[in-house]
């Protein structure tokens, strides 16, 4: 995070928050921050230099510039800039430049599928491109949404530091969570985000948290992967209780430290690209 982002984050946290907003309320004034490139999630729209609520909820902020309203509604509405965990449904198109994957968001969304071009992966070319199959998981970002057209997805970014999207190992565990839980997992300062950071500093694992309510987890070993799955399940059931989540985190770290022999997960995942003659 650069200096401007740090200043913006500090300014945002100084503004009053944690109160329920109603449709039409001004939830945030953009005069207090320097950035003008915003990603607006569900529940907010921009009018002049203000963000306006379009539903009931509590304003949340995710660096560097994403604003959304946290609501009790568990229906996912795709928004530009969202990271999601999708399931490949099928591949369509004849010519390479026209081929794309249909990607499923889940049943808890008003728009169930999106379009992911076959060349929208880091390093993909006409001769060296992904070969995903039905049922494969992919971590991608919502590039564009339109009223009538399909949701456009991508696994690339102009920022070279943001190259973590792409196909996910088939041997990982997929946890389905409420949208409020995954948003807290991605919100700095929340108990859930602190849990992920603390566990990651002491125990190696891979994860992909999708704003569509899917969380992919991988450790490479059977027992520890099951324990990691249970950690996220118990953290969601804690419903934001800081002390309870700290207790759950400590118990997980203690159990993994004394786990003993663990069995490697047989990973038969094929590399995501295929040479084409």
């Amino acid at each position: 995070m650069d200096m401007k982002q740090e200043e913006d984050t500090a300014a945002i946290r100084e503004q009053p928050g944690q109160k329920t907003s109603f449709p039409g309320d001004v939830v945030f004034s953009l005069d207090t921050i320097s950035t003008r490139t915003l990603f607006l999630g569900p529940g907010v729209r921009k009018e002049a230099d203000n963000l306006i609520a379009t539903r009931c909820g509590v304003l949340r902020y995710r660096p560097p510039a994403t604003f959304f309203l946290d609501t009790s509604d568990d229906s996912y509405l795709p928004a530009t800039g969202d990271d999601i965990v999708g399931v490949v449904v099928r591949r369509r198109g004849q010519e390479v430049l026209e081929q794309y994957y249909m990607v499923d968001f889940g049943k808890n969304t008003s728009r169930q599928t999106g379009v992911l071009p076959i060349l929208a992966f880091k390093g993909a070319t006409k001769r060296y491109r992904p070969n995903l199959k039905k049922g494969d998981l992919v971590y991608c970002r919502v590039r564009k949404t339109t009223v009538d057209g399909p949701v456009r997805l991508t696994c690339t970014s102009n920022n070279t530091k943001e190259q973590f999207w792409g196909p996910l190992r088939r041997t990982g565990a997929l946890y389905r969570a409420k949208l409020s839980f995954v948003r807290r997992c991605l919100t700095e300062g929340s108990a859930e985000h602190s849990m992920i950071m603390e566990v990651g500093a002491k125990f190696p694992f891979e994860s992909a948290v999708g704003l569509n309510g899917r969380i992919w987890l991988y450790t490479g070993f059977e027992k520890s992967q099951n324990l990691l799955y249970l950690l996220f399940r118990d953290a969601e059931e804690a419903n934001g209780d800081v002390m309870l989540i700290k207790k759950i985190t400590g118990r997980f770290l203690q159990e993994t430290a004394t786990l003993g022999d663990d069995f490697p997960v047989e990973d038969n995942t094929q590399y995501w690209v295929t040479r084409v003659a």
Side-chain angles (χ1 to χ4, degrees), residues 2 7 45 48 65 71 105 160 165 173 179 185 187 189 237 267 274:
D2 59 26
E7 292 175 353
R45 71 172 186 271
T71 72
F105 295 153
T160 57
W165 300 290
L179 301 189
C185 286
T187 302
E237 292 178 353
D267 191 352
T274 301

Side-chain angles (χ1 to χ4, degrees), residues 81 83-84 122 138-141 154-157 159-168 186 207-209 216:
D83 294 329
I84 64 130
K122 179 186 177 182
V138 60
Y139 193 46
C140 48
R141 171 161 286 187
T154 185
C155 287
T156 62
S157 172
N159 187 343
T160 57
K161 295 181 180 180
E162 294 184 341
Q163 297 293 351
F164 44 79
W165 300 290
L168 302 171
L186 294 170
S207 67
V209 180
W216 173 86

Side-chain angles (χ1 to χ4, degrees), residues 143-196:
R143 184 175 67 84
K144 185 179 181 181
T145 61
T146 57
V147 176
D148 300 320
V151 177
R152 302 285 180 176
L153 306 171
T154 185
C155 287
T156 62
S157 172
N158 293 329
N159 187 343
T160 57
K161 295 181 180 180
E162 294 184 341
Q163 297 293 351
F164 44 79
W165 300 290
L168 302 171
R169 298 175 188 266
R170 295 170 183 162
T171 48
L174 184 63
Y175 179 69
R176 293 173 175 82
K178 292 182 178 180
L179 301 189
S180 56
F181 176 70
V182 297
R183 288 170 185 153
R184 291 197 301 270
C185 286
L186 294 170
T187 302
E188 290 187 24
S190 69
E192 291 82 0
H193 185 270
S194 298
M195 174 195 76
I196 295 173

Side-chain angles (χ1 to χ4, degrees), residues 229-250:
Y229 182 95
L230 294 176
L231 170 68
F232 276 77
R233 184 202 65 182
D234 293 344
E236 181 177 18
E237 292 178 353
N239 199 27
D241 188 317
V242 176
M243 296 307 297
L244 183 54
I245 291 176
K246 285 184 177 180
K247 181 178 179 181
I248 292 169
T249 303

